[in-house]
Amino acid sequence: MQCHMIHNAIFLLGPTAVGKTAIGVRLALALDGEIISGDSRQVYRGLDIGSGKDLADYDLPPALVEKIKPEAAKHTGESYHVPYHLIDVADLGSEYNLFDYQEAFYLAFADILARGKVPVIVGGTGMYVDCIIRNYDLVPTPDNPALRAELEALSYDELKAMLIAEKANLHNTTDFADKDRIMHAIEIERYLKSPACAAYRAGRPPRPEVRPLVLGTTLPRPLVRERIARRLRERLENGLIEEVEGLHKNGASWTRLEQLGLEYRFVSEYLEGKISTKEELFERLNLAIGQFAKRQETWFRGMEKKGVQIHWLPQVDDVEERFAAALREIESQTLQ
């Protein structure tokens, strides 16, 4: 499929367990594109089963290649590898944050475009995809020990009042979760108003222009819950517990693993003896993933309220049908 698009990037977002990767790799094949992951845990090496990297899905079987793009099947019997980016790019011992992701994204995005390919961004981490779609103005915030020492001496209520005074149009109330979050938010606000930050922005190279076409895919909630439960059973059977155990043996603390959330948090608690049985582990983790999926959908609705147009694919449990609908939407946005 050759086209000149109004948009220079395809975003495919949606909650967990709805088949985003399967649709995304098909789109990348059809568009002569490459995948950029929009997942906050797949950046880490070693988080394979729990983060759902499913790297085998990037190698499409010959029959599917012949169906979608026959010219890509150079030799009978060969699979087609869809290149991917921002997967396995960080060690677990480091803290990969939103700024790191945004910087790495622009490098990968520019590289893909320079080679005449189409960036196809696939992911469910709302803040990761949103920071690109709505072009967050992120800057690296250096440590400020003197300010931190000053803030440490204040009470929670004093810090809260200070943040409210410092930050205009405060919408992110999660900053009030605890003293550490408030102090970090204040540090950021102080730095944003500093000459050092102004100098950083002035010297920062221009970002490549991202003109996103945003596609969304989800399924009816009972079906999402069913798919979550089935996938979790498969992951537990295919070595999820052993993966977490191996990460701990290789130096990752239980605290660090728990910080990663969901699969890594609950399996760590099981291995620490905080969860008694595998069935209890399944029940608690299954519930938590279902709640997470609801939060993802809430985030995407929030993006729409802020002006992001998301073209939702049909809610049918058929990857090929949703892939075809995605292609039709892309073609409708194409300049001939």
Side-chain angles (χ1 to χ4, degrees):
M1 178 178 176
Q2 296 295 326
C3 58
H4 300 284
M5 292 186 290
I6 301 169
H7 307 277
N8 65 358
I10 307 299
F11 282 74
L12 178 64
L13 50 79
T16 190
V18 298
K20 294 186 297 297
T21 300
I23 299 169
V25 294
R26 285 162 171 77
L27 288 175
L29 170 62
L31 299 170
D32 193 20
E34 300 183 7
I35 301 289
I36 302 179
S37 171
D39 188 287
S40 63
R41 297 191 302 177
Q42 291 186 7
V43 299
Y44 290 111
R45 286 181 280 271
L47 306 190
D48 300 326
I49 299 172
S51 71
K53 287 176 185 170
D54 300 325
L55 298 183
D57 290 352
Y58 293 88
D59 293 306
L60 297 175
L64 185 59
V65 178
E66 288 282 356
K67 179 180 178 181
I68 295 174
K69 192 175 184 180
E71 63 269 30
K74 298 177 182 177
H75 304 287
T76 303
E78 282 193 4
S79 62
Y80 180 91
H81 177 70
V82 175
Y84 56 81
H85 304 262
L86 305 194
I87 294 177
D88 290 338
V89 295
D91 290 324
L92 195 52
S94 64
E95 189 68 43
Y96 197 92
N97 59 34
L98 193 63
F99 174 81
D100 296 326
Y101 177 80
Q102 193 181 56
E103 292 292 291
F105 176 93
Y106 288 125
L107 290 174
F109 176 80
D111 172 63
I112 294 168
L113 286 184
R115 290 184 284 103
K117 306 294 184 179
V118 178
V120 180
I121 298 87
V122 179
T125 302
M127 191 171 288
Y128 273 38
V129 294
D130 197 29
C131 81
I132 304 300
I133 293 170
R134 296 201 299 121
N135 193 25
Y136 289 16
D137 182 21
L138 301 176
V139 296
T141 307
D143 292 335
N144 188 336
L147 176 59
R148 175 57 68 125
E150 175 189 329
L151 298 177
E152 289 277 7
L154 301 178
S155 68
Y156 172 88
D157 289 337
E158 289 171 324
L159 289 168
K160 182 176 179 180
M162 181 181 291
L163 179 57
I164 292 171
E166 290 270 355
K167 192 169 184 177
N169 302 316
L170 180 63
H171 299 297
N172 185 12
T173 57
T174 59
D175 285 337
F176 296 144
D178 53 47
K179 282 188 64 172
D180 281 338
R181 292 289 294 270
I182 299 178
M183 287 189 291
H184 184 59
I186 293 171
E187 288 173 326
I188 292 172
E189 286 304 306
R190 291 281 180 92
Y191 178 70
L192 290 175
K193 298 169 184 174
S194 71
C197 183
Y200 169 82
R201 282 180 166 143
R204 181 173 59 188
R207 292 172 172 174
E209 181 187 15
V210 180
R211 303 190 304 276
L213 172 62
V214 185
L215 306 176
T217 187
T218 190
L219 295 168
R221 189 155 291 167
L223 184 54
V224 173
R225 288 196 294 266
E226 177 186 319
R227 289 171 66 108
I228 287 171
R230 182 170 66 247
R231 189 184 66 175
L232 178 55
R233 288 285 189 198
E234 291 170 353
R235 288 181 177 179
L236 288 168
E237 291 169 2
N238 293 332
L240 174 59
I241 294 173
E242 290 77 9
E243 175 175 281
V244 178
E245 191 171 33
L247 291 168
H248 179 62
K249 286 180 179 177
N250 287 329
S253 69
W254 293 127
T255 299
R256 176 64 177 129
L257 290 167
E258 289 174 13
Q259 288 172 344
L260 296 166
L262 292 178
E263 292 87 349
Y264 296 98
R265 172 193 162 197
F266 283 90
V267 173
S268 292
E269 291 179 350
Y270 168 74
L271 291 170
E272 293 175 89
K274 298 176 183 177
I275 296 176
S276 302
T277 66
K278 287 186 179 180
E279 191 55 37
E280 182 188 354
L281 168 63
F282 171 81
E283 291 173 359
R284 291 179 57 181
L285 181 50
N286 185 50
L287 177 62
I289 297 172
Q291 293 169 337
F292 172 66
K294 288 175 65 176
R295 291 196 300 274
Q296 287 177 295
E297 294 195 324
T298 299
W299 181 281
F300 301 139
R301 288 195 297 272
M303 289 173 62
E304 290 181 299
K305 291 176 181 177
K306 294 170 184 173
V308 176
Q309 184 178 19
I310 302 177
H311 302 269
W312 290 98
L313 305 180
Q315 291 193 26
V316 292
D317 191 16
D318 186 303
V319 164
E320 302 303 337
E321 189 172 339
R322 283 183 282 160
F323 163 61
L327 277 186
R328 289 193 298 270
E329 186 61 49
I330 293 167
E331 289 168 353
S332 74
Q333 302 284 340
T334 300
L335 289 175
Q336 302 295 340

